[in-house]
Amino acid sequence: MSIYAVTTIRSPESDLLQQAKTWAKELHLPFVPRPLHGSMEDFLAKKGLKAVLIASHLGPQVMTEEGLLRYHPNMGVPRIRTLKRGGSDHLVTACNLQPGMRFLDCTLGLAADSVVASFVTGPTGKVVGLEASPVLYKLVSQGLKEYAIDDPDITDALHRIQPRLGRAEDLLPTFPADSFDVVYFDPMFRRPIGNSSSMQPLRPATYHKPLDRSMVQAALRLAPTVVVKEREDDLLRSLGATQVLGGKYSKVRYGVIHREGGAR
Protein backbone atom coordinates (compact mmCIF):
# COMPACT_ATOMS: atom_id res chain seq x y z
CA MET A 1 0.00 0.00 0.00
CA SER A 2 1.31 3.44 -0.96
CA ILE A 3 2.13 5.93 1.80
CA TYR A 4 1.48 8.73 -0.69
CA ALA A 5 -1.61 9.68 -2.71
CA VAL A 6 -3.05 12.51 -4.79
CA THR A 7 -6.29 14.35 -4.06
CA THR A 8 -7.94 17.74 -4.56
CA ILE A 9 -9.46 20.55 -2.59
CA ARG A 10 -13.08 20.02 -1.57
CA SER A 11 -15.65 20.25 -4.40
CA PRO A 12 -13.05 20.79 -7.14
CA GLU A 13 -13.88 22.10 -10.58
CA SER A 14 -13.40 19.64 -13.42
CA ASP A 15 -9.99 21.05 -14.40
CA LEU A 16 -8.54 20.52 -10.90
CA LEU A 17 -10.01 17.05 -10.74
CA GLN A 18 -8.42 16.17 -14.07
CA GLN A 19 -5.12 17.71 -13.00
CA ALA A 20 -5.03 15.57 -9.85
CA LYS A 21 -5.76 12.43 -11.84
CA THR A 22 -3.04 13.33 -14.34
CA TRP A 23 -0.53 13.82 -11.52
CA ALA A 24 -1.50 10.49 -9.99
CA LYS A 25 -0.90 8.71 -13.28
CA GLU A 26 2.38 10.55 -13.88
CA LEU A 27 3.69 9.75 -10.39
CA HIS A 28 2.26 6.19 -10.22
CA LEU A 29 0.26 7.08 -7.12
CA PRO A 30 -3.36 6.36 -6.20
CA PHE A 31 -5.90 9.11 -6.72
CA VAL A 32 -8.17 9.38 -3.66
CA PRO A 33 -11.24 11.67 -3.86
CA ARG A 34 -11.37 14.31 -1.15
CA PRO A 35 -14.36 13.79 1.18
CA LEU A 36 -16.77 16.68 1.62
CA HIS A 37 -16.48 16.57 5.41
CA GLY A 38 -13.69 16.06 7.93
CA SER A 39 -10.20 17.47 8.28
CA MET A 40 -7.25 16.63 6.09
CA GLU A 41 -5.55 15.18 9.18
CA ASP A 42 -8.44 12.73 9.56
CA PHE A 43 -8.24 11.97 5.85
CA LEU A 44 -4.55 11.05 6.15
CA ALA A 45 -5.14 8.92 9.23
CA LYS A 46 -8.09 7.02 7.77
CA LYS A 47 -6.23 6.24 4.56
CA GLY A 48 -2.95 5.39 6.33
CA LEU A 49 -1.04 8.04 4.36
CA LYS A 50 2.17 9.87 5.29
CA ALA A 51 1.60 12.64 2.77
CA VAL A 52 -0.89 13.65 0.11
CA LEU A 53 -0.41 15.86 -2.94
CA ILE A 54 -3.29 18.32 -3.33
CA ALA A 55 -4.35 19.92 -6.60
CA SER A 56 -5.45 23.44 -5.66
CA HIS A 57 -6.02 26.83 -7.26
CA LEU A 58 -2.67 27.89 -5.77
CA GLY A 59 -0.84 25.03 -7.47
CA PRO A 60 0.37 21.80 -5.90
CA GLN A 61 0.40 21.58 -2.11
CA VAL A 62 1.51 18.74 0.15
CA MET A 63 -0.25 17.86 3.38
CA THR A 64 1.42 15.67 5.99
CA GLU A 65 0.56 14.78 9.56
CA GLU A 66 2.77 17.74 10.54
CA GLY A 67 1.00 20.38 8.45
CA LEU A 68 0.59 21.95 5.01
CA LEU A 69 3.53 22.60 2.71
CA ARG A 70 3.59 25.05 -0.20
CA TYR A 71 6.67 25.54 -2.33
CA HIS A 72 9.25 28.04 -1.17
CA PRO A 73 13.06 27.90 -1.47
CA ASN A 74 13.36 28.16 2.32
CA MET A 75 16.75 29.60 3.33
CA GLY A 76 18.03 29.66 -0.25
CA VAL A 77 16.88 33.26 -0.79
CA PRO A 78 18.59 34.93 2.22
CA ARG A 79 21.72 32.86 1.59
CA ILE A 80 21.97 34.15 -1.99
CA ARG A 81 21.37 37.69 -0.79
CA THR A 82 24.25 37.24 1.66
CA LEU A 83 26.49 36.06 -1.19
CA LYS A 84 25.47 39.05 -3.30
CA ARG A 85 26.56 41.35 -0.46
CA GLY A 86 29.98 39.70 -0.48
CA GLY A 87 29.33 37.25 2.35
CA SER A 88 30.16 33.56 2.50
CA ASP A 89 28.17 30.33 2.56
CA HIS A 90 29.26 27.04 4.18
CA LEU A 91 27.96 24.91 1.30
CA VAL A 92 29.74 27.03 -1.30
CA THR A 93 32.96 26.81 0.69
CA ALA A 94 32.74 23.06 1.32
CA CYS A 95 31.99 22.30 -2.35
CA ASN A 96 34.46 24.92 -3.60
CA LEU A 97 31.75 26.03 -6.02
CA GLN A 98 32.77 28.17 -8.97
CA PRO A 99 31.01 29.44 -12.11
CA GLY A 100 30.62 26.70 -14.72
CA MET A 101 30.77 23.77 -12.31
CA ARG A 102 28.43 20.77 -12.45
CA PHE A 103 26.63 20.03 -9.17
CA LEU A 104 24.48 16.99 -8.36
CA ASP A 105 22.19 17.29 -5.34
CA CYS A 106 21.10 13.79 -4.32
CA THR A 107 18.58 15.07 -1.76
CA LEU A 108 16.77 17.95 -3.45
CA GLY A 109 14.07 18.63 -0.84
CA LEU A 110 12.89 22.23 -1.25
CA ALA A 111 16.00 22.99 -3.35
CA ALA A 112 17.46 25.55 -0.92
CA ASP A 113 20.97 24.19 -1.41
CA SER A 114 20.49 23.63 -5.13
CA VAL A 115 19.38 27.22 -5.73
CA VAL A 116 22.48 28.50 -3.95
CA ALA A 117 24.62 26.17 -6.07
CA SER A 118 22.76 27.27 -9.22
CA PHE A 119 23.35 30.93 -8.39
CA VAL A 120 27.08 30.38 -7.90
CA THR A 121 27.68 28.05 -10.85
CA GLY A 122 25.68 30.40 -13.07
CA PRO A 123 24.32 29.98 -16.59
CA THR A 124 27.43 28.09 -17.72
CA GLY A 125 27.09 25.59 -14.86
CA LYS A 126 24.71 22.70 -14.32
CA VAL A 127 22.65 21.75 -11.27
CA VAL A 128 20.69 18.49 -11.16
CA GLY A 129 18.54 17.59 -8.15
CA LEU A 130 17.29 14.10 -7.28
CA GLU A 131 14.13 13.70 -5.20
CA ALA A 132 12.87 10.31 -4.04
CA SER A 133 9.48 11.43 -2.72
CA PRO A 134 6.99 11.71 -5.60
CA VAL A 135 4.72 14.20 -3.84
CA LEU A 136 7.65 16.41 -2.91
CA TYR A 137 9.07 16.10 -6.43
CA LYS A 138 5.83 17.41 -7.97
CA LEU A 139 5.61 20.27 -5.47
CA VAL A 140 9.22 21.33 -6.04
CA SER A 141 9.55 20.73 -9.78
CA GLN A 142 6.55 22.96 -10.44
CA GLY A 143 7.65 25.45 -7.81
CA LEU A 144 11.06 25.85 -9.44
CA LYS A 145 9.31 26.98 -12.62
CA GLU A 146 6.64 29.17 -11.05
CA TYR A 147 7.94 30.63 -7.77
CA ALA A 148 7.80 34.43 -8.03
CA ILE A 149 10.44 36.67 -6.50
CA ASP A 150 11.55 40.19 -7.34
CA ASP A 151 15.22 39.26 -7.82
CA PRO A 152 15.94 38.02 -11.38
CA ASP A 153 19.21 36.40 -10.28
CA ILE A 154 17.33 34.15 -7.85
CA THR A 155 14.52 33.50 -10.33
CA ASP A 156 17.03 32.48 -13.00
CA ALA A 157 18.87 30.26 -10.52
CA LEU A 158 15.61 28.46 -9.66
CA HIS A 159 14.75 27.96 -13.33
CA ARG A 160 18.16 26.43 -14.14
CA ILE A 161 17.79 23.56 -11.64
CA GLN A 162 17.00 20.24 -13.33
CA PRO A 163 14.87 18.06 -10.97
CA ARG A 164 14.78 14.28 -11.43
CA LEU A 165 12.36 11.91 -9.70
CA GLY A 166 13.91 8.85 -8.12
CA ARG A 167 16.03 7.47 -5.31
CA ALA A 168 19.71 8.33 -5.43
CA GLU A 169 20.73 4.68 -5.13
CA ASP A 170 18.74 3.94 -8.29
CA LEU A 171 19.71 7.02 -10.30
CA LEU A 172 23.43 7.36 -9.53
CA PRO A 173 24.36 4.31 -11.69
CA THR A 174 22.49 5.84 -14.66
CA PHE A 175 24.84 8.84 -14.95
CA PRO A 176 28.08 8.59 -16.95
CA ALA A 177 31.34 8.54 -15.02
CA ASP A 178 32.82 11.99 -14.28
CA SER A 179 29.62 13.77 -15.30
CA PHE A 180 29.76 16.15 -12.29
CA ASP A 181 32.33 18.14 -10.34
CA VAL A 182 30.62 17.73 -6.94
CA VAL A 183 27.98 15.33 -5.62
CA TYR A 184 26.11 16.51 -2.52
CA PHE A 185 24.04 14.69 0.10
CA ASP A 186 21.89 16.33 2.76
CA PRO A 187 20.07 13.37 4.35
CA MET A 188 17.15 14.26 6.61
CA PHE A 189 18.52 14.47 10.15
CA ARG A 190 17.27 11.75 12.45
CA ARG A 191 16.37 14.45 15.00
CA PRO A 192 15.10 17.93 14.03
CA ILE A 193 17.45 20.81 14.71
CA GLY A 194 16.19 23.11 17.43
CA ASN A 195 12.79 24.64 16.68
CA SER A 196 12.81 24.05 12.92
CA SER A 197 9.01 24.30 12.81
CA SER A 198 8.97 25.55 9.21
CA MET A 199 10.52 22.26 8.12
CA GLN A 200 8.32 19.95 10.20
CA PRO A 201 5.64 19.45 7.51
CA LEU A 202 8.41 18.30 5.16
CA ARG A 203 9.68 15.44 7.30
CA PRO A 204 6.89 12.86 6.76
CA ALA A 205 7.02 13.48 2.99
CA THR A 206 10.72 12.70 2.64
CA TYR A 207 12.73 9.55 2.00
CA HIS A 208 14.70 8.54 5.09
CA LYS A 209 17.22 5.88 4.06
CA PRO A 210 20.52 6.55 5.87
CA LEU A 211 23.57 7.34 3.78
CA ASP A 212 26.29 4.67 3.71
CA ARG A 213 29.75 4.11 2.22
CA SER A 214 28.38 2.28 -0.83
CA MET A 215 26.38 5.37 -1.80
CA VAL A 216 29.43 7.57 -1.32
CA GLN A 217 31.45 5.26 -3.57
CA ALA A 218 28.73 5.35 -6.22
CA ALA A 219 28.85 9.15 -6.06
CA LEU A 220 32.64 9.23 -6.34
CA ARG A 221 32.32 7.49 -9.70
CA LEU A 222 30.51 10.60 -10.93
CA ALA A 223 32.65 13.32 -9.36
CA PRO A 224 36.06 13.73 -7.72
CA THR A 225 34.44 15.28 -4.63
CA VAL A 226 31.46 14.30 -2.49
CA VAL A 227 30.13 16.61 0.23
CA VAL A 228 27.80 15.40 2.99
CA LYS A 229 25.85 17.61 5.39
CA GLU A 230 25.39 16.10 8.85
CA ARG A 231 25.41 16.93 12.53
CA GLU A 232 28.07 14.51 13.80
CA ASP A 233 31.77 14.69 12.93
CA ASP A 234 32.25 11.01 13.73
CA LEU A 235 29.56 9.99 11.26
CA LEU A 236 31.12 12.12 8.55
CA ARG A 237 34.53 10.57 9.25
CA SER A 238 33.00 7.09 9.05
CA LEU A 239 31.75 7.95 5.55
CA GLY A 240 35.29 8.83 4.48
CA ALA A 241 35.43 12.58 5.07
CA THR A 242 38.97 13.92 5.26
CA GLN A 243 37.77 17.46 5.99
CA VAL A 244 34.89 18.57 8.20
CA LEU A 245 33.85 22.19 7.79
CA GLY A 246 31.26 24.44 9.40
CA GLY A 247 30.82 27.65 11.32
CA LYS A 248 31.84 27.98 14.95
CA TYR A 249 28.22 28.28 16.07
CA SER A 250 26.63 26.13 13.39
CA LYS A 251 24.73 22.99 14.38
CA VAL A 252 25.53 21.30 11.05
CA ARG A 253 28.80 20.16 9.53
CA TYR A 254 29.98 19.51 5.99
CA GLY A 255 32.16 16.48 5.38
CA VAL A 256 34.35 16.61 2.28
CA ILE A 257 35.26 13.29 0.68
CA HIS A 258 37.72 13.12 -2.20
CA ARG A 259 38.16 10.36 -4.71
CA GLU A 260 41.64 8.88 -4.43
CA GLY A 261 43.86 11.24 -6.37
CA GLY A 262 40.94 13.63 -6.87
CA ALA A 263 41.50 16.28 -4.19
CA ARG A 264 41.63 19.84 -5.49
Side-chain angles (χ1 to χ4, degrees):
M1 180 179 176
S2 176
I3 61 172
Y4 305 122
V6 183
T7 192
T8 65
I9 57 174
R10 287 195 180 99
S11 304
E13 291 88 347
S14 59
D15 59 335
L16 280 182
L17 183 62
Q18 184 56 50
Q19 184 175 68
K21 291 180 177 179
T22 299
W23 289 348
K25 184 176 180 181
E26 172 191 337
L27 299 170
H28 305 288
L29 294 176
F31 169 75
V32 183
R34 175 76 179 274
L36 293 177
H37 305 286
S39 69
M40 184 59 80
E41 290 83 357
D42 291 340
F43 176 71
L44 288 168
K46 288 176 181 177
K47 299 295 182 181
L49 298 169
K50 287 290 186 182
V52 63
L53 177 67
I54 306 168
S56 80
H57 296 295
L58 299 176
Q61 301 178 351
V62 171
M63 184 73 184
T64 75
E65 58 195 8
E66 298 288 348
L68 184 67
L69 190 65
R70 299 182 180 92
Y71 179 71
H72 58 87
N74 200 29
M75 291 301 295
V77 170
R79 288 166 62 190
I80 290 175
R81 287 176 173 158
T82 295
L83 289 169
K84 292 180 75 169
R85 293 194 299 266
S88 61
D89 184 89
H90 294 315
L91 171 73
V92 174
T93 300
C95 295
N96 192 24
L97 289 177
Q98 306 289 335
M101 287 180 65
R102 303 162 299 168
F103 178 88
L104 176 62
D105 185 346
C106 291
T107 44
L108 182 62
L110 294 176
D113 288 319
S114 279
V115 71
V116 173
S118 180
F119 170 75
V120 175
T121 58
T124 61
K126 177 180 179 181
V127 175
V128 177
L130 312 183
E131 179 50 55
S133 165
V135 296
L136 193 54
Y137 166 80
K138 174 52 68 176
L139 178 77
V140 174
S141 61
Q142 191 157 326
L144 291 174
K145 293 184 288 186
E146 299 177 356
Y147 188 79
I149 192 166
D150 58 1
D151 186 329
D153 293 331
I154 297 176
T155 299
D156 290 346
L158 288 165
H159 290 175
R160 285 194 298 267
I161 299 169
Q162 303 173 36
R164 294 272 304 272
L165 173 61
R167 302 182 303 176
E169 59 262 37
D170 297 328
L171 293 180
L172 288 177
T174 69
F175 290 102
D178 297 310
S179 50
F180 294 94
D181 298 297
V182 181
V183 176
Y184 174 65
F185 293 93
D186 176 14
M188 180 63 74
F189 298 135
R190 289 169 292 281
R191 301 183 307 279
I193 294 178
N195 296 316
S196 53
S197 58
S198 65
M199 297 298 288
Q200 280 303 98
L202 180 67
R203 294 183 68 84
T206 57
Y207 180 62
H208 290 274
K209 182 177 179 180
L211 185 63
D212 58 27
R213 289 293 289 264
S214 67
M215 288 279 285
V216 171
Q217 290 303 309
L220 286 169
R221 184 184 69 87
L222 306 186
T225 302
V226 171
V227 173
V228 180
K229 180 181 177 182
E230 253 296 348
R231 295 177 65 174
E232 303 169 14
D233 287 18
D234 289 346
L235 178 56
L236 291 170
R237 299 288 185 191
S238 74
L239 292 171
T242 55
Q243 297 171 271
V244 176
L245 308 174
K248 181 178 179 181
Y249 302 105
S250 175
K251 295 181 180 180
V252 299
R253 315 292 284 168
Y254 293 86
V256 183
I257 305 163
H258 294 297
R259 183 195 298 162
E260 187 175 347
R264 291 190 298 269

